[in-house]
Amino acid sequence: MNYSTELPEDKVFVYTDKQRMEQVLGNLMINAKKNVSAKGILRLSLVQQDNMLHCSIYNQGACIPPEQLPKIWEKFYRDKNAKYSGSGLGLAIVAQILSMQNLEYGSENLSDGVRFFFSVPVIK
């Protein structure tokens, strides 16, 4: 696995629950690590655009079947073909935390992997 980051050059400040946001990032990174291919790329990107900080975590590897994409945010949902164990709560916790803060989030298949994303307003 190859790990890369894309970070803003200057400091960016956001108003959010620090512990909960650490939990969101941790759960997304754990999920990405479980699903990245052996020699694939795992990339964390933080990009400021206008008044938003856009965070995305990409893992190169198998895509999620399109009909399953909305289901991955549900409690106890697990891919029956997954090669790892877990409770199926990680992404549901992410969804709950981000929803509680009224933050937009989602996931999408790319040509060679999956990208999870969310955005946080920037403090000026």
Side-chain angles (χ1 to χ4, degrees):
M1 168 182 65
N2 296 307
Y3 180 73
S4 69
T5 58
E6 178 183 7
L7 303 172
E9 288 185 26
D10 298 321
K11 289 183 180 181
V12 177
F13 295 94
V14 297
Y15 182 75
T16 187
D17 183 322
K18 181 181 180 221
Q19 281 185 306
R20 296 291 187 195
M21 199 53 63
E22 287 174 352
Q23 190 174 14
V24 164
L25 289 170
N27 285 0
L28 289 173
M29 291 298 288
I30 288 168
N31 184 71
K33 281 180 70 175
K34 287 181 179 179
N35 290 290
V36 67
S37 59
K39 295 189 180 192
I41 297 168
L42 183 103
R43 181 174 41 250
L44 168 66
S45 297
L46 296 173
V47 177
Q48 182 180 356
Q49 184 177 29
D50 300 323
N51 294 325
M52 298 297 286
L53 181 64
H54 303 286
C55 177
S56 69
I57 297 173
Y58 161 79
N59 63 277
Q60 189 174 34
C63 290
I64 299 169
E67 68 276 5
Q68 291 182 16
L69 271 174
K71 297 176 184 176
I72 63 173
W73 304 104
E74 297 173 6
K75 288 181 184 176
F76 306 113
Y77 178 77
R78 293 220 30 238
D79 178 3
K80 295 176 183 86
N81 300 316
K83 297 175 184 165
Y84 56 86
S85 62
S87 64
L89 288 174
L91 293 178
I93 291 169
V94 167
Q96 183 177 17
I97 291 169
L98 295 174
S99 293
M100 286 174 22
Q101 297 182 61
N102 296 314
L103 301 176
E104 292 186 24
Y105 65 92
S107 58
E108 64 181 347
N109 285 320
L110 302 178
S111 61
D112 60 349
V114 180
R115 183 177 79 97
F116 290 84
F117 55 88
F118 64 93
S119 298
V120 183
V122 171
I123 298 174
K124 290 188 171 191

